[in-house]
Amino acid sequence: MRLHPRVWEMLRSRRTKIILACSPFILALLVALAYPVSTWLGRRSLEQFVESMHDQGYVTNAAAYFSPSGPAEENYFLHPAALAEQEKSGSIVKALRYFEPPLPGISRRLETGEPALARRADLRTWLTPPLADEAGTARHLLAAIEPSSRRLDELREALKRPRAEWPLDDGLDASTEAIEKIVRSQFRLRPVADFAADEAYLYLALGDSERAAADLGAMLECNRLYLSSKPTVVALLLHEALSRGTTRLIWEGIARSSWNEAQLASFEAALARENPQSALIQAFHGEAALLEIWAAKVGSLESHDQGANLLKGWDPDLDRIQQRLRGIWRELRPLGFVLSKHVQSQRALFGEMTLPDGTARQRFEPEDLARFRSTLDSLPQAIVTSESGATHTSRDIDAEAWGMLRSLSTTVLRAEATIALARTGIALERYRLQHGIHPASLQELVPAYLPSVLLDPFTRRPLHYRVQADGSPQVWSIGANLTDEGGLPKRDRDQGDLVWITRPIPGYTEKEFRKP
């Protein structure tokens, strides 16, 4: 197609050539102006947000929440056994699958049974070829882990110290590095709990309930540290995972008729002291305090090493966060634009944590979970292309707030339900030990075994209970889908009911349990 003569003449004119020659410099000037202006707008948006938090009564002095650790002799992470293990392997205690020296014949991690199907652990499945009996397997494995077991004996007492807090060597005035150190320390508790659980299963197989109870006590102390130390949301997420491991071990001992009355009573008392809801609110306030530190560092964010990340610490998967933020930077969005996006998300978070009368929220309720889920599901999705060229759907970054609210509300309610089911299961076993049968109703457990019938946090009504035809108990919570499935669990914990059973549900198969 030929150009019109007048168009061709205009393109060849001196004026057009000057404009075309200058356009790159004009665009560069616009970008150079846009970045500082946008950055200033984003910084101002953050300052206004922090000011609004102050007006609502939030304390943003991080020292109020992240106080320095106690004396070295009361700090679990400064215990000699902990320091020695950190120097050697980067973790507190090696989990059972990392033997010292390596043990031949290991096929996979210890089989811990399936409480939802009332299926006990079978330690023999962990060795290839398997040994003849479970007790022989347990003795074989205990001999292999003796060095780590000795360290756990040392650490067990350190875990009980009243001020065993996360290390905080640096101040909080100018850096969030101390908080990242806290988060890393929280993750280091996982190998301790994993090792204690594995060892406890071995002692249960040998009939040594005293040693198994000591290991379970260490796990409960890890639970306490997660909920009572430096407040971060990561701690709550880790606590929920550890609660499942703790209650599975309690269940395993009940299924084997291993625990005595005194042990069961001590487990119930420890679980009764746990308050995930309170820990979540405290963690939220602690995370809020970090905003002031973050606001003070905004000026240095032009380097964008980690990205403008107000949500850092809310999600344990930091690699995913950093990859997403690097993608934002590759799109050359001005820093102020990124700031405003994150401030918008944080405004949603704080708005949901503050009640209409301006007071701070004290707990999440089941209706919150339903509302957060429906709001998130209604948000539009965008097509995102990764570095490899693959595409997937992803919600806008504004949806991070609603996704986090849904995740946190699910986590905290599920943690409460897990604890309530375990406490009820313990009370039922104590009743059975004394009377020889299980009670006809949960009310019969009050007040000798429980102060009151425990509530399902997803309904705020008493947990469901029935006695099966074989005389075994079945207790359940309706779970995160807020639908009563009649006490039928699912592998996907966001579906089906959360159950406590000691014998299989009649007619319920593993295929049904794993069905999507």
Side-chain angles (χ1 to χ4, degrees):
M1 184 179 67
R2 298 181 63 183
L3 293 174
H4 191 279
R6 293 188 61 182
V7 175
W8 180 252
E9 183 180 348
M10 183 180 67
L11 290 176
R12 294 181 61 188
S13 67
R14 185 170 180 269
R15 181 181 177 182
T16 302
K17 291 179 180 178
I18 293 174
I19 292 174
L20 292 175
C22 294
S23 57
F25 300 99
I26 294 172
L27 289 174
L29 179 61
L30 290 175
V31 171
L33 291 174
Y35 266 73
V37 170
S38 172
T39 299
W40 179 85
L41 290 174
R43 185 182 292 115
R44 181 57 187 153
S45 176
L46 178 61
E47 291 170 354
Q48 290 175 339
F49 179 36
V50 174
E51 290 170 6
S52 70
M53 288 173 55
H54 292 165
D55 293 340
Q56 293 180 40
Y58 280 98
V59 177
T60 58
N61 176 13
Y65 301 97
F66 296 88
S67 56
S69 298
E73 63 273 13
E74 295 183 357
N75 191 324
Y76 164 74
F77 290 99
L78 296 180
H79 187 276
L83 291 174
E85 190 62 37
Q86 282 179 280
E87 281 186 20
K88 182 176 182 180
S89 64
S91 62
I92 303 299
V93 178
K94 289 185 176 181
L96 194 57
R97 60 181 175 272
Y98 302 123
F99 282 118
E100 306 166 347
L103 184 67
I106 299 300
S107 60
R108 56 192 174 92
R109 185 162 173 76
L110 182 64
E111 173 58 60
T112 56
E114 183 50 72
L117 296 173
R119 186 183 65 205
R120 283 174 24 182
D122 184 356
L123 273 61
R124 295 172 299 176
T125 63
W126 206 41
L127 295 178
T128 305
L131 298 184
D133 65 287
E134 193 177 49
T137 303
R139 285 190 290 270
H140 183 63
L141 296 176
L142 283 171
I145 62 171
E146 185 179 356
S148 291
S149 183
R150 286 198 300 267
R151 285 196 294 278
L152 181 61
D153 287 339
E154 294 182 61
L155 294 171
R156 191 175 285 119
E157 292 305 312
L159 285 168
K160 297 178 182 178
R161 291 172 181 165
R163 292 191 63 193
E165 297 179 337
W166 314 120
L168 189 60
D169 304 326
D170 305 321
L172 289 167
D173 295 335
S175 173
T176 58
E177 292 179 1
I179 307 305
E180 294 173 11
K181 187 183 298 183
I182 290 169
V183 172
R184 288 196 300 271
S185 298
Q186 290 167 338
F187 278 110
R188 289 189 184 118
L189 274 179
R190 287 297 299 273
V192 179
D194 286 347
F195 181 87
D198 288 343
E199 188 177 77
Y201 278 106
L202 300 180
Y203 281 118
L204 283 177
L206 291 173
D208 190 343
S209 67
E210 289 299 322
R211 287 297 301 266
D215 285 325
L216 181 57
M219 295 179 69
L220 290 168
E221 290 303 325
C222 289
N223 254 347
R224 177 185 65 81
L225 283 176
Y226 278 142
L227 290 187
S228 64
S229 297
K230 313 296 186 188
T232 66
V233 172
V234 169
L236 180 78
L237 300 176
L238 292 170
H239 164 265
E240 199 265 340
L242 181 55
S243 289
R244 296 197 306 273
T246 304
T247 56
R248 286 173 72 100
L249 184 54
I250 293 173
W251 178 89
E252 182 76 20
I254 290 176
R256 293 173 179 267
S257 299
S258 298
W259 308 124
N260 59 40
E261 165 71 18
Q263 291 166 341
L264 289 167
S266 68
F267 302 157
E268 197 281 324
L271 291 174
R273 290 192 292 268
E274 294 183 11
N275 189 341
Q277 289 274 4
S278 174
L280 173 59
I281 303 302
Q282 181 190 31
F284 179 83
H285 289 183
E287 299 269 355
L290 298 184
L291 282 179
E292 190 137 332
I293 299 173
W294 196 88
K297 293 191 68 182
V298 166
S300 64
L301 288 177
E302 281 78 355
S303 64
H304 228 71
D305 180 34
Q306 294 289 334
N309 188 3
L310 273 171
L311 296 177
K312 188 170 185 179
W314 285 77
D315 189 330
D317 191 355
L318 296 182
D319 289 338
R320 186 175 65 83
I321 290 178
Q322 292 167 6
Q323 182 178 3
R324 185 182 67 242
L325 292 171
R326 284 194 294 268
I328 293 173
W329 184 236
R330 281 196 300 271
E331 296 174 17
L332 296 180
R333 294 181 179 179
L335 179 61
F337 181 74
V338 178
L339 280 173
S340 63
K341 283 286 187 179
H342 284 287
V343 169
Q344 185 176 349
S345 291
Q346 291 290 58
R347 283 185 187 278
L349 286 168
F350 283 100
E352 292 298 328
M353 294 296 292
T354 306
L355 302 179
D357 61 1
T359 58
R361 179 185 287 275
Q362 294 303 308
R363 61 178 288 117
F364 280 114
E365 300 291 357
E367 54 265 29
D368 294 322
L369 172 58
R371 182 164 54 88
F372 299 154
R373 178 180 290 138
S374 63
T375 302
L376 183 63
D377 291 343
S378 67
L379 292 173
Q381 293 186 340
I383 302 298
V384 178
T385 303
S386 66
E387 291 182 357
S388 64
T391 60
H392 63 279
T393 58
S394 175
R395 302 188 189 280
D396 188 86
I397 200 167
D398 293 338
E400 291 296 327
W402 293 101
M404 184 57 64
L405 285 165
R406 183 181 69 168
S407 174
L408 291 178
S409 57
T410 302
T411 296
V412 74
L413 291 171
R414 194 162 50 209
E416 281 193 316
T418 299
I419 292 171
L421 289 170
R423 290 180 63 195
T424 302
I426 290 170
L428 288 167
E429 177 67 2
R430 292 174 65 194
Y431 185 99
R432 186 194 67 81
L433 288 174
Q434 185 169 354
H435 300 280
I437 60 172
H438 290 103
S441 72
L442 296 182
Q443 192 61 46
E444 295 182 39
L445 301 174
V446 179
Y449 306 100
L450 287 173
S452 63
V453 176
L454 300 183
L455 303 182
D456 181 353
F458 290 101
T459 63
R460 289 175 294 185
R461 293 191 291 272
L463 292 166
H464 294 276
Y465 174 69
R466 71 164 66 101
V467 179
Q468 298 192 76
D470 60 6
S472 64
Q474 182 177 5
V475 190
W476 72 92
S477 157
I478 68 169
N481 65 353
L482 304 181
T483 302
D484 186 359
E485 308 284 355
L488 298 181
K490 289 290 183 183
R491 168 65 74 183
D492 181 354
R493 294 183 304 120
D494 285 336
Q495 303 297 324
D497 296 334
L498 304 175
V499 301
W500 182 279
I501 53 175
T502 54
R503 293 183 187 172
I505 301 171
Y508 191 70
T509 64
E510 184 163 342
K511 180 180 179 181
E512 291 294 321
F513 175 64
R514 298 181 184 276
K515 183 185 296 183

